[in-house]
């Protein structure tokens, strides 16, 4: 079902207040204005209810700007080489630009979904996967659900630099690598992290996997990066180039219905690590429960660890229902990092920490 105008305005307003505020001055300003402008907010209504998000709206807008990089509005897109900060001219320019291209905008939001492949999230996932590899005592096979372009499947190839408020630093991953990801750490000290993590298989499952060898598809991933955060765009390009040399297996399908088929692409004698990161928010609530049930069923047939990194409002409903210690953090837009195993059909849940939305912070429990 297509989104209503009321829902579109609500999602844009929530995006501004809960996600962009204090993080993206440009998107904060534009989202607040768009939420109060019926003509502009209506451009999000062709999207299905579950995908009608502020992130999709701004990704579609940036994709249109990418196609016309000479326009004045592009000066405000730092990801495209612009250098202007938000001012009193950007909203009129943005509004006029989108309304003049309303048909193209509506087509994008109707046919695309947000597929942010934020490489930096590998920095918060790495300690969890490293713990699993230690328990498995050998190589592991990765299956990422909601994989987009599959860049998180290359987490063993990236370097990591974890630093705390006292200036202390922990390095992990290979020493010689084109991409080093940084992450600010608070809470308890991280466990000892390896320089080498052996991954025997990499499989990604997505409704619409992104072919990073296709420049148009890669451009969509870049459009999903917020326009005033060029460093994220740079990381994306470097990781994409690394992946082209040894791409993972990407499968088009449903998170529930195709899960077992995708898992079968990881050899049965290899411990399976299923990963999802900021993906379950795009599944309706009943489907999330079916996904957890499908994982439990799969765990009955082979060694399986589930590494989950999801927004706490989503995560806590299926990880540890009834726990409320994170309810005061709604404006932080942080995730919950956890490992789940099933013993005799019963889930064993370990909450490892809280993560920043784009992998920039990790509070270790």
């Amino acid at each position: 079902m297509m989104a209503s105008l009321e829902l579109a305005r609500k999602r844009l307003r929530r995006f501004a207040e809960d996600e962009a505020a204090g993080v993206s001055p440009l998107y904060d300003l534009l989202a607040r204005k768009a939420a109060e402008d019926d003509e502009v907010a209506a451009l999000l209504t062709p999207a299905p209810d579950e995908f009608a998000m502020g992130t999709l709206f701004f990704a579609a807008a940036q994709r249109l700007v990418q196609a016309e990089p000479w326009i004045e509005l592009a000066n405000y897109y730092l990801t495209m080489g612009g250098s202007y900060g938000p001012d009193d001219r950007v909203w009129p320019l943005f509004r006029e630009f989108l309304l003049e291209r309303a048909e193209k905008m509506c087509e994008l939001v109707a046919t695309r979904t947000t597929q942010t492949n934020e490489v930096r999230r590998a920095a918060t996932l790495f300690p969890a996967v490293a713990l699993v590899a230690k328990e498995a005592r050998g190589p592991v096979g990765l299956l990422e659900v909601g994989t987009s372009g599959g860049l998180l499947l290359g987490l063993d190839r990236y370097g990591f630099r974890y630093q705390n408020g006292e200036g202390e630093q922990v390095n992990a991953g290979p020493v010689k690598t084109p991409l080093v990801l940084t992450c600010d750490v608070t809470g308890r000290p991280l466990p000892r992290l390896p320089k080498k993590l052996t991954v025997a298989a990499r499989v990604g499952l997505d409704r619409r996997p992104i072919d990073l060898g296709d420049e148009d598809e890669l451009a969509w991933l870049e459009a999903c990066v917020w326009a005033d955060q060029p460093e994220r765009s740079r990381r994306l390009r470097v990781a994409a180039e690394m992946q082209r040399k040894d791409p993972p297996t990407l499968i088009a399908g449903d998170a529930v219905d195709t899960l077992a088929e995708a898992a079968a692409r990881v050899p049965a004698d290899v411990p399976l690590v299923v990963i999802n990161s900021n993906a379950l928010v795009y599944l309706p609530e009943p489907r999330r429960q079916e996904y957890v049930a499908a994982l439990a069923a799969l765990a009955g047939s082979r060694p399986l660890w589930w590494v989950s990194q999801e927004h706490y409002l989503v995560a806590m409903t299926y990880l540890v229902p009834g726990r409320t210690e994170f309810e005061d953090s709604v404006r932080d837009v942080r995730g919950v990092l956890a490992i789940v195993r099933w013993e005799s059909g019963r889930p064993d849940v370990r909450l490892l920490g809280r993560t920043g939305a784009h992998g920039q912070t990790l509070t270790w429990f």
Side-chain angles (χ1 to χ4, degrees):
M1 185 172 64
M2 289 173 52
S4 65
L5 177 60
E6 180 182 358
L7 178 64
R9 293 183 59 182
K10 179 181 178 181
R11 293 275 176 80
L12 287 165
R13 188 178 302 110
R14 183 185 299 168
F15 174 77
E17 295 174 351
D18 295 347
E19 297 187 53
V23 178
S24 173
L26 178 63
Y27 279 5
D28 183 13
L29 184 155
L30 295 179
R32 291 176 189 277
K33 293 284 190 180
E36 301 305 321
D37 188 309
D38 285 356
E39 285 187 271
V40 176
L43 298 176
L44 185 57
T45 59
D49 279 3
E50 64 268 32
F51 300 131
M53 305 286 186
T55 49
L56 175 62
F57 177 86
F58 285 104
Q62 184 166 195
R63 187 67 189 95
L64 294 178
V65 176
Q66 287 175 344
E68 302 178 54
W70 54 84
I71 62 172
E72 187 175 359
L73 180 61
N75 291 321
Y76 296 88
Y77 280 69
L78 308 189
T79 50
M80 298 175 57
S83 59
Y84 293 7
D87 56 25
D88 58 2
R89 282 187 46 75
V90 67
W91 167 248
L93 286 171
F94 184 78
R95 184 180 191 278
E96 180 182 19
F97 175 80
L98 289 190
L99 293 180
E100 287 180 351
R101 295 155 184 81
E103 185 175 341
K104 293 180 179 179
M105 181 71 175
C106 289
E107 180 182 0
L108 281 171
V109 301
T111 58
R112 287 286 192 174
T113 58
T114 304
Q115 290 183 285
T116 303
N117 212 166
E118 177 49 60
V119 185
R120 200 177 187 183
R121 289 178 186 149
T124 44
L125 286 169
F126 184 81
V129 177
L131 282 177
V132 170
K134 184 177 180 180
E135 294 173 11
R137 298 182 180 180
V140 297
L142 301 180
L143 167 58
E144 185 189 7
V145 178
T147 196
S148 187
L151 295 180
L152 294 182
L153 291 168
L155 57 76
D156 59 310
R157 298 166 177 165
Y158 309 142
F160 302 97
R161 183 178 301 126
Y162 301 94
Q163 47 207 17
N164 62 21
E166 286 72 48
E168 298 172 330
Q169 186 170 292
V170 174
N171 297 317
V175 175
K176 294 184 178 181
T177 174
L179 184 59
V180 176
L181 303 171
T182 61
C183 181
D184 293 330
V185 179
T186 56
R188 299 180 63 185
L190 289 173
R192 185 173 181 178
L193 299 176
K195 296 294 183 184
K196 182 178 181 180
L197 182 66
T198 304
V199 176
R202 310 168 202 275
V203 179
L205 173 62
D206 199 276
R207 288 167 54 93
R208 183 178 177 176
I210 294 289
D211 177 6
L212 296 179
D214 184 323
E215 279 297 321
D216 185 63
E217 292 290 281
L218 181 55
W220 175 250
L221 281 190
E222 289 188 298
C224 290
V225 173
W226 296 8
D228 52 2
Q229 299 178 351
E231 183 60 22
R232 290 177 59 196
S233 185
R234 185 198 70 81
R235 288 193 295 265
L236 172 64
R237 278 280 174 177
V238 173
E241 184 59 32
M242 292 174 68
Q243 191 201 89
R244 287 193 186 105
K245 299 174 182 177
D246 184 17
T249 299
L250 299 183
I251 297 172
D254 180 79
V256 178
D257 299 338
T258 320
L259 182 66
E261 176 189 337
R265 304 295 290 272
V266 176
D269 60 345
V270 176
L272 177 63
V273 184
V274 179
I275 297 170
N276 50 258
S277 176
N278 293 67
L280 298 191
V281 67
Y282 297 104
L283 295 180
E285 177 57 34
R287 204 60 172 159
R288 295 173 195 164
Q289 299 299 337
E290 291 170 4
Y291 173 66
V292 176
L295 284 171
L298 193 57
S301 63
R302 63 183 299 173
L304 182 150
W305 285 259
W306 175 28
V307 175
S308 172
Q309 179 177 256
E310 297 287 342
H311 188 280
Y312 85 91
L313 287 175
V314 175
M316 300 305 282
T317 60
Y318 59 75
L319 288 174
V320 277
R323 294 273 288 271
T324 60
E325 63 261 47
F326 302 140
E327 285 189 355
D328 61 348
S329 303
V330 64
R331 297 183 67 86
D332 292 343
V333 197
R334 292 192 296 160
V336 174
L337 180 66
I339 296 175
V340 183
R341 285 211 74 188
W342 281 264
E343 300 290 345
S344 302
R346 296 179 63 85
D348 174 28
V349 180
R350 284 177 282 171
L351 300 182
L352 301 182
R354 300 296 308 279
T355 65
H358 298 132
Q360 71 275 32
T361 60
L362 171 61
T363 300
W364 191 256
F365 294 165

